[in-house]
């Protein structure tokens, strides 16, 4: 399923969004995050063998599995927002998570020496729950979906005076949610620094839950490269495609289905409002993929096919690459996305084996220690 919109590339970021998505904020996030202990840019892997197989000019994979030892790019966002909120020892921070954001907030709370209470959907896997609790956070399981957990965390923050660190927000702009997105821009900066300045990718594919990551990436590229920015493709699970449904409806839409997808960290039913605002005005394509594409993509990466390095990637982490492979194998979708031998595609491997048990059951081997997951 694909929705394409014709974007006028000569337009700058809309005025009302410039306070949220700008290079000054991104620069500040980089200054702070790159000074944290253990900071190192994550690898930008060249998948030359797979690119040849798919008939592409170049395929770059930004591998976030080893980010601060937390397994995903989310380490950049929640922890940064916690630090910006400057909690004291008496404070408690709270958030809702489908897994990775909660781990980041718990880690940030640990760095700042404050308490963290993390609200999760009742179906959160035991492996993901353990990773959050291992960082000293208290976990509260909420009946329903991620979106129910978001509301429960916001209610608890109001009732107890806790600092709320959401990765999503509605019409009322929440500074912490903006900081979370700003933290993510570090990975875009690192990527561009590794590529020749005059040769940015032609396409970028980013997986979306609430859309915060996709908006952070698009905002940075739009500000930094203007009309030269790559074609921007947002991908979601078919059963949690709130961005695709919203763009089709022409306004933000909340899904009422159960969001049952194996891409658990993308199982969100409502777009984050600022993310929606930017993506609906600047992203080129919105796609949804079925769960059936996930396991083969994880296994392909794990075995290092076509002479490429072996990569450990989790279920939500492979969504962008899974769409790319499907598109290159279908002449109509590949053509609709403008993919071909002159394309340089950037995908973001947003997570490693963030649930080791699930990874093992899908891939058949334990995640390699080398990736730091
Ligand atoms: C591994 C992974 N990839 C992608 C995303 C999507 O990020 P967002 O919810 O900001 O769209 C998430 C969100 O938790 C995630 O954990």
């Amino acid at each position: 399923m694909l929705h394409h919109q014709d974007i006028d590339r000569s337009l700058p970021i809309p005025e009302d969004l410039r306070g949220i998505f700008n290079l000054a904020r991104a620069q500040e996030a980089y200054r702070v995050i790159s000074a944290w202990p253990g900071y190192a840019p994550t690898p930008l892997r060249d998948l030359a063998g797979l690119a040849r197989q798919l008939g592409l000019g170049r395929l770059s994979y930004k591998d976030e599995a080893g980010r601060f030892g937390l397994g995903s790019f989310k380490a950049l966002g929640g922890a940064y927002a916690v630090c910006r909120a400057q909690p004291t020892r008496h404070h408690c921070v709270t958030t809702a998570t489908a897994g990775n954001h909660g781990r980041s907030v718990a880690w940030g709370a640990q760095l700042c020496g404050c308490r963290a209470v993390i609200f999760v959907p009742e179906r959160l896997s035991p492996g993901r729950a353990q990773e959050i609790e291992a960082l000293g956070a208290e976990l509260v399981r909420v009946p329903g979906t991620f979106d129910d957990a978001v509301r429960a965390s916001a209610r608890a923050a109001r009732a107890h005076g806790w600092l709320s660190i959401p990765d999503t927000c509605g019409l009322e702009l929440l500074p912490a949610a903006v900081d979370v997105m700003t933290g993510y821009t570090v990975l875009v900066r690192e990527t561009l620094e590794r590529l020749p300045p005059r040769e940015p990718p032609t396409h970028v594919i980013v997986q979306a839950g609430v859309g915060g990551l996709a908006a952070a990436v698009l905002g940075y590229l739009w500000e930094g490269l203007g009309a030269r920015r790559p074609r921007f493709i947002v991908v979601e699970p078919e059963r949690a495609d709130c961005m695709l449904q919203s763009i089709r409806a022409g306004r933000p839409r909340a899904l009422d289905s159960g969001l049952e997808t194996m891409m658990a960290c993308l199982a969100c039913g409502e777009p984050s409002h600022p993310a929606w605002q930017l993506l609906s005005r600047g992203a080129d394509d919105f796609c949804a993929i079925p769960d059936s594409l996930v396991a083969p993509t994880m296994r392909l990466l794990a075995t290092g096919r076509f002479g490429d390095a072996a990569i450990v990637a989790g279920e939500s982490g492979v969504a962008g690459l899974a769409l790319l492979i499907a598109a290159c194998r279908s002449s109509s979708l590949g053509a609709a996305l403008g993919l071909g031998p002159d394309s340089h595609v950037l995908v973001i491997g947003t997570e490693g084996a963030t649930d080791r048990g699930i990874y093992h059951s899908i891939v058949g081997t334990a995640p390699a220690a080398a990736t730091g997951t």
Side-chain angles (χ1 to χ4, degrees):
M1 272 184 288
L2 169 71
H3 179 98
H4 173 76
Q5 53 181 7
D6 284 320
I7 297 294
D8 180 350
R9 288 196 132 53
S10 65
L11 296 177
I13 289 192
E15 184 72 43
D16 55 315
L17 297 174
R18 279 185 222 157
I20 303 174
F21 302 98
N22 63 66
L23 293 184
R25 270 185 186 279
Q27 170 65 26
E28 173 61 7
Y30 180 78
R31 189 188 66 75
V32 171
I33 292 172
S34 62
W36 286 349
Y39 170 78
T42 53
L44 185 66
R45 304 193 190 278
D46 209 358
L47 301 186
L50 183 55
R52 261 194 312 278
Q53 287 291 319
L54 297 177
L56 298 169
R58 186 169 176 189
L59 173 52
S60 299
Y61 180 100
K62 178 68 169 161
D63 187 354
E64 288 294 306
R67 183 67 77 178
F68 286 115
L70 295 189
S72 83
F73 79 98
K74 284 263 160 185
L76 296 168
Y80 177 61
V82 173
C83 291
R84 294 263 297 168
Q86 296 192 323
T88 66
R89 266 195 318 129
H90 306 292
H91 271 114
C92 176
V93 295
T94 183
T95 197
T97 187
N100 293 325
H101 174 63
R103 204 165 156 187
S104 180
V105 168
W107 181 59
Q110 206 176 50
L111 290 177
C112 297
C114 69
R115 188 179 156 213
V117 180
I118 313 291
F119 290 76
V120 301
E122 59 193 343
R123 283 199 307 260
L124 185 79
S125 75
R128 294 201 163 90
Q130 272 161 24
E131 296 287 2
I132 297 171
E133 287 176 321
L135 291 163
E138 295 153 51
L139 210 73
V140 181
R141 285 188 185 269
V142 178
T145 63
F146 166 75
D147 305 282
D148 295 304
V150 169
R151 286 183 278 274
S153 168
R155 273 196 306 274
R158 277 195 300 275
H160 304 294
W162 295 343
L163 286 172
S164 186
I165 312 288
D167 65 353
T168 183
C169 66
L171 279 174
E172 184 198 347
L173 191 64
L174 303 173
V178 175
D179 290 336
V180 167
M181 287 192 288
T182 309
Y184 301 156
T185 61
V186 168
L187 74 85
V188 198
R189 175 180 168 142
E190 290 173 357
T191 301
L192 293 183
E193 279 176 356
R194 285 283 312 279
L195 296 172
R198 308 224 163 271
E199 295 169 38
T202 57
H203 296 71
V204 179
I205 309 177
V206 185
Q207 49 271 43
V210 299
L213 171 65
V217 176
L218 174 60
Y220 193 93
L221 294 172
W222 194 340
E223 268 273 274
L225 301 174
R228 291 194 308 127
R229 69 184 187 273
R231 181 160 175 172
F232 198 89
I233 303 161
V234 178
V235 60
E236 295 170 290
E238 260 175 15
R239 296 200 200 117
D241 58 348
C242 60
M243 283 289 168
L244 178 62
Q245 296 296 335
S246 298
I247 200 81
R248 283 198 169 138
R251 63 185 166 79
R253 279 201 52 194
L255 305 180
D256 46 20
S257 74
L259 311 177
E260 272 142 24
T261 168
M262 71 188 282
M263 291 170 263
C265 302
L266 308 180
C268 307
E270 296 179 32
S272 179
H273 197 72
W276 154 257
Q277 285 290 327
L278 191 81
L279 294 168
S280 60
R281 290 187 261 176
D284 300 277
D285 303 278
F286 295 80
C287 293
I289 56 165
D291 276 8
S292 58
L293 300 184
V294 171
T297 310
M298 288 170 67
R299 288 190 208 114
L300 181 146
L301 286 175
T303 46
R305 301 277 306 280
F306 317 121
D308 293 333
I311 294 173
V312 174
E315 310 89 274
S316 302
V318 300
L321 184 60
L323 169 65
L324 178 66
I325 294 171
C328 292
R329 288 183 179 154
S330 134
S331 49
S332 57
L333 187 54
L337 293 174
L339 294 165
D342 296 331
S343 306
H344 171 191
V345 185
L346 169 67
V347 296
I348 304 175
T350 49
E351 68 174 353
T354 51
D355 185 312
R356 302 174 77 86
I358 294 178
Y359 182 88
H360 194 286
S361 70
I362 294 174
V363 173
T365 52
T371 58
T373 59

